[in-house]
Amino acid sequence: MSVTHMILIALAGVGAGAINAVVGSGTLITFPTLVALGYPPVTSTMSNAVGLVAGGVSGTWGYRRELRGQWKRLRWQIPASLIGAIIGAWLLLHLPEKVFVTVVPILLILALVLVLVGPRIQAWARKRAEASGNGADHVSTRRMVAVVLGTWAVGIYGGYFTAAQGILLVAVMGALLPESIQRMNAAKNLLSLLVNIVAALAYTLVAFDRISWEAAGLIAVGSLLGGFLGSHFGRRLSPNALRAVIIIVGLIGLYRLLTV
């Protein structure tokens, strides 16, 4: 590997780590970079998933304060993410790549719409909860089940491809939970990290020789730094600014997915 390629991959890792901490679609930087440098798509996906675990750790740590008070719900979401990730990793190893190339843009469009209308859905849900005699922050059993099932479905997607899973998670939680976007972002970082860990372990155990460990290592170093930077600045964004960043990055990612 040339020095130029090493620098490009490491810089892509920094960008991906930062974006993952704030938005959750950093794969849309590292994946195309590896493909452009000549790595096969499946090798790129696996190497990217392994490398971005480090960025997930630093990003989750940076948002640790926003995770407080969410464990009652996360105790159900975490197993859902882990089970989904195992299924998704299995699918990547057994299904043709063209399947997710078709599905990903559709899911991303849906997620961006949900992120955009999330505040209105939350306001409607609060009014219904208050009208039924519950507090504005009440989450019904039906909605909790929907959150867990949505988390499970995003886990499958994340274990399969990883790109933009954070946007999907924020969209699902934003449509169903009376939480601030920063707190949802913290939960997203943790759940995405767990999905990436499961996927990385599965790829390592089953397809060790198909991973480019040089590329994975460079992405890991870059994303570790990027995760710290992203969480530091992302936590300071206002809800509207953070939502705008998510939509802008999502649209850029959608364009790249449709044109790569």
Side-chain angles (χ1 to χ4, degrees), residues 29 47 72 80 153 166 186:
I29 294 178
S47 306
K72 185 176 180 180

Side-chain angles (χ1 to χ4, degrees), residues 207-229:
F208 186 91
D209 57 333
R210 299 175 71 182
I211 298 171
S212 170
W213 290 100
E214 283 185 323
L218 290 168
I219 291 174
V221 173
S223 67
L224 185 66
L225 173 60
F228 278 117
L229 294 174

Side-chain angles (χ1 to χ4, degrees), residues 20-119:
N20 275 345
V22 179
V23 182
S25 57
T27 292
L28 298 174
I29 294 178
T30 45
F31 177 76
T33 297
L34 293 179
V35 171
L37 293 178
Y39 292 91
V42 174
T43 295
S44 298
T45 298
M46 294 181 180
S47 306
N48 175 68
V50 172
L52 287 180
V53 168
V57 171
S58 59
T60 300
W61 178 256
Y63 268 91
R64 63 192 180 280
R65 280 185 288 178
E66 285 76 12
L67 284 172
R68 293 171 185 167
Q70 299 195 60
W71 295 107
K72 185 176 180 180
R73 183 186 73 255
L74 286 171
R75 67 180 180 179
W76 297 103
Q77 286 184 275
I78 287 172
S81 281
L82 293 174
I83 294 170
I86 292 171
I87 296 172
W90 184 89
L91 290 174
L92 179 68
L93 296 168
H94 292 84
L95 293 181
E97 183 184 346
K98 62 182 179 181
V99 174
F100 67 68
V101 171
T102 303
V103 173
V104 168
I106 298 172
L107 291 175
L108 188 51
I109 291 172
L110 176 61
L112 292 175
V113 171
L114 287 175
V115 170
L116 189 62
V117 303

